[in-house]
Amino acid sequence: MSNSAPASAAASMALVKLKEGSMCVFDGKQAHWPWYYKKLRGYIMKNPVAFAILTGQKCRQSALPAHLTENGDSKVFFPTPKTEATITNAKYDAANLFIYCTILETLDQSCSHFFTDVEEGDGMTVVSKLLSKHERDDLPAKMKVAFQVLRNAQLPTDTLDAYTIRTKKLQARVRNMKITLEDLLTARYLLGVGSGFKTPRDFLLLQENVSMEEAEAKLQSYQDFQNAGRATDTSAAKSYVTPANPAPLPPLRSGNERKGNRIRCTFCGIANHTEEVCRKKTAAISALRQK
């Protein structure tokens, strides 16, 4: 969207009053989706737990199978994972319900199909369905996420939890945008080319679709064009031969100097003319005579 697009989207979308403020109503139009999702995240941020699960920062704690919970001692041998990236089931369900109710109140009637076959209170499933429908899935968006996946690594300052959360968020985006293995392999190829191929690579990323074979053919054509240009420059340089006995330059008159092949006036110091025709010298003589 352009800079004026968010303003036009906000002006054309209806508002609804909620418990903790107001929200725009999403009408199902693709052009309005980025603005709606931005405002939705801003509103969900009022509930830290809901915002954490919406953005993939936290998830539900893994529950023990029913046959293991019958014996109270089983939790000693099969402990439920508890890390900074997990929350209790009760907190998760409450936050999930908050997301569900917020979306339910801010979707137009034309978007009611997003709640079909969704368990009541399961807001994250509704979010997943919305993202799979409206998340950008064109080639530039796919390649951007694919590059992020390929560059993803645990930084020296990252904890394992932080790295895991970031990876899971990328995995979710890969699923929502339907990025295939072919897309990832093409992205790996484009990401690995040298800096000299940045221009054709950026051009390829603007196409509607590109495969590994197409990318290879375009880059090869660019390289052949560059090599042909360098060969032409080299042959032109070699075709120029300095004469064995160059013609002597005319002798200089007094009051002039030669620098290389350029005549320089000794009065004003400017090249390409002699002192006899120097305008500055003529003007200086005229000024002296007037005095």
Side-chain angles (χ1 to χ4, degrees):
M1 297 178 71
S2 62
N3 293 336
S4 61
S8 60
S12 60
M13 297 171 71
L15 293 177
V16 61
K17 189 70 175 178
L18 301 179
K19 183 179 179 180
E20 301 184 26
S22 59
M23 260 284 294
C24 55
V25 177
F26 181 54
D27 52 9
K29 296 181 179 179
Q30 179 65 38
H32 293 169
W33 167 253
W35 179 252
Y36 169 77
Y37 193 49
K38 177 181 178 180
K39 301 301 289 185
L40 177 66
R41 293 197 304 270
Y43 184 83
I44 296 296
M45 193 181 295
K46 300 176 186 295
N47 185 323
V49 178
F51 185 75
I53 67 173
L54 176 68
T55 56
Q57 298 176 29
K58 292 186 182 293
C59 58
R60 185 196 298 270
Q61 288 180 3
S62 301
L64 288 174
H67 69 280
L68 294 178
T69 58
E70 294 177 359
N71 185 353
D73 296 335
S74 62
K75 291 186 178 181
V76 177
F77 304 98
F78 302 95
T80 302
K82 293 183 179 180
T83 67
E84 295 179 0
T86 61
I87 55 178
T88 62
N89 292 336
K91 287 185 177 181
Y92 184 94
D93 291 338
N96 202 16
L97 178 62
F98 176 77
I99 296 173
Y100 181 90
C101 294
T102 302
I103 297 176
L104 182 64
E105 295 183 72
T106 56
L107 283 191
D108 188 75
Q109 289 293 332
S110 60
C111 302
S112 59
H113 58 278
F114 287 108
F115 293 91
T116 305
D117 299 329
V118 176
E119 184 180 350
E120 185 175 356
D122 190 0
M124 289 304 296
T125 298
V126 180
V127 170
S128 179
K129 294 178 72 173
L130 284 166
L131 287 173
S132 63
K133 172 65 177 179
H134 295 287
E135 183 83 354
R136 280 184 60 187
D137 59 354
D138 54 359
L139 182 69
K142 285 184 175 181
M143 289 294 106
K144 180 180 179 180
V145 175
F147 284 0
Q148 291 174 351
V149 171
L150 296 171
R151 291 191 179 109
N152 185 39
Q154 185 178 6
L155 302 176
T157 56
D158 279 349
T159 63
L160 181 59
D161 284 342
Y163 171 62
T164 303
I165 290 170
R166 186 169 63 249
T167 303
K168 287 184 177 179
K169 290 172 67 175
L170 288 173
Q171 287 176 342
R173 296 201 67 185
V174 167
R175 288 193 295 268
N176 292 333
M177 299 176 70
K178 299 179 176 61
I179 297 176
T180 63
L181 178 60
E182 178 68 22
D183 294 330
L184 290 173
L185 292 175
T186 303
R188 176 65 267 177
Y189 177 70
L190 293 175
L191 186 63
V193 297
S195 58
F197 293 93
K198 184 179 184 300
T199 299
R201 182 184 69 183
D202 293 345
F203 175 78
L204 285 168
L205 294 178
L206 295 176
Q207 305 303 304
E208 293 184 1
N209 192 17
V210 63
S211 64
M212 180 73 175
E213 292 74 17
E214 292 171 337
E216 180 184 0
K218 292 288 185 183
L219 294 179
Q220 185 63 48
S221 298
Y222 180 81
Q223 179 176 264
D224 294 342
F225 176 79
Q226 294 293 321
N227 292 340
R230 283 193 290 267
T232 301
D233 294 341
T234 303
S235 60
K238 289 182 177 179
S239 64
Y240 176 78
V241 179
T242 304
N245 298 309
L249 294 171
L252 289 176
R253 297 183 181 180
S254 61
N256 298 306
E257 295 178 352
R258 188 188 306 282
K259 186 175 183 180
N261 290 337
R262 300 175 66 189
I263 299 174
R264 184 177 299 276
C265 175
T266 56
F267 181 82
C268 65
I270 299 176
N272 299 326
H273 72 271
T274 62
E275 186 177 337
E276 286 80 359
V277 295
C278 180
R279 294 180 181 179
K280 290 189 176 183
K281 181 178 180 180
T282 304
I285 294 174
S286 299
L288 289 172
R289 287 175 179 174
Q290 290 176 2
K291 290 181 181 181

